[in-house]
């Protein structure tokens, strides 16, 4: 079972949804639940790399709820429920909703960079997410594992903005 949908604004909905999926999966004898979470469960870092062993520390709100849902699913598995794999997705690349406002502001000439633009983003393409989620569902022996789904390398924000400007011809 691939659990991909949440109401970003409702803790109760996120946790109830995870609990409902876990209960239904256990009743149906599902081999594995793949819970799509967010790399936002890691506290934003100014320096250094983040990997699956980095302790989480989400800011209050959506990412905290995602972390709680992860824990709920892992706890259910450890108490005899369906096995689970957690897939923490970074921001989506081209076409992703995260960048829509940036594209619109650049096209309209209203985008303003805050800071130097040296912060890094490691966006991932939707087709890569699909491939990695499929692997999370089919590779044997990875139950209980957590994976970060990210693009092949980080890019500085100012470089991303430059490419968007070139593509938009502005």
């Amino acid at each position: 079972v691939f659990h991909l949908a949440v109401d970003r604004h409702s803790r109760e909905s996120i946790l109830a949804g995870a609990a409902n999926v876990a209960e239904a999966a256990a009743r149906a004898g599902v081999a594995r639940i793949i819970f799509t979470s967010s790399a936002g469960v890691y506290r934003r870092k100014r320096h250094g790399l983040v990997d699956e062993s980095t302790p989480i520390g989400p800011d209050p709100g959506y990412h905290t709820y995602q972390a709680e849902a992860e824990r709920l699913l892992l706890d259910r598995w450890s108490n005899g429920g369906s096995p689970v794999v957690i897939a923490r997705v970074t921001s989506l690349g081209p076409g992703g909703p995260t960048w829509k406002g940036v594209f619109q502001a650049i096209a309209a000439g209203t985008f303003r960079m805050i800071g130097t633009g040296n912060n890094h983003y490691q966006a991932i393409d939707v087709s890569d997410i699909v491939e990695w989620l499929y692997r999370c569902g089919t590779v044997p022996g990875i139950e209980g594992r957590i994976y970060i789904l990210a693009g092949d390398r980080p890019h500085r924000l100012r470089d991303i903005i430059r490419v968007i400007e070139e593509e938009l011809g502005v």
Side-chain angles (χ1 to χ4, degrees):
V1 170
F2 293 85
H3 183 353
L4 303 164
V6 297
D7 174 357
R8 293 180 56 94
H9 305 291
S10 171
R11 177 181 184 267
E12 293 75 25
S13 175
I14 291 171
L15 295 179
N20 290 340
V21 167
E23 289 170 22
R27 279 195 311 271
V30 166
R32 185 180 298 166
I33 298 168
I34 296 81
F35 180 67
T36 305
S37 186
S38 169
V41 299
Y42 301 103
R43 186 166 299 282
R44 293 182 188 256
K45 296 181 68 135
R46 292 192 177 273
H47 298 65
L49 299 175
V50 171
D51 66 20
E52 289 84 353
S53 67
T54 302
I56 63 172
D59 293 326
Y62 169 69
H63 295 115
T64 296
Y65 312 152
Q66 286 290 91
E68 290 177 39
E70 290 179 9
R71 184 80 263 145
L72 180 149
L73 290 167
L74 290 167
D75 287 347
R76 295 276 175 106
W77 173 49
S78 67
N79 290 311
S82 294
V84 64
V85 173
I86 307 294
R88 294 177 176 159
V89 180
T90 61
S91 65
L92 294 174
T98 306
W99 296 97
K100 181 179 179 181
V102 174
F103 274 81
Q104 290 172 333
I106 292 170
T110 59
F111 178 81
R112 300 292 178 263
M113 181 87 68
I114 297 173
T116 63
N118 284 324
N119 46 319
H120 287 84
Y121 287 87
Q122 197 156 344
I124 184 168
D125 190 80
V126 171
S127 63
D128 292 330
I129 293 171
V130 171
E131 178 182 344
W132 286 109
L133 288 177
Y134 174 79
R135 290 182 186 194
C136 286
T138 59
V139 171
I142 63 169
E143 294 81 2
R145 299 282 307 265
I146 296 172
Y147 296 97
I148 298 172
L149 308 186
D152 60 346
R153 61 190 171 92
H155 299 277
R156 292 183 305 176
L157 179 58
R158 67 178 166 174
D159 297 332
I160 295 170
I161 298 304
R162 189 174 306 120
V163 169
I164 294 170
E165 290 170 339
E166 289 171 5
E167 290 297 317
L168 294 175
V170 297

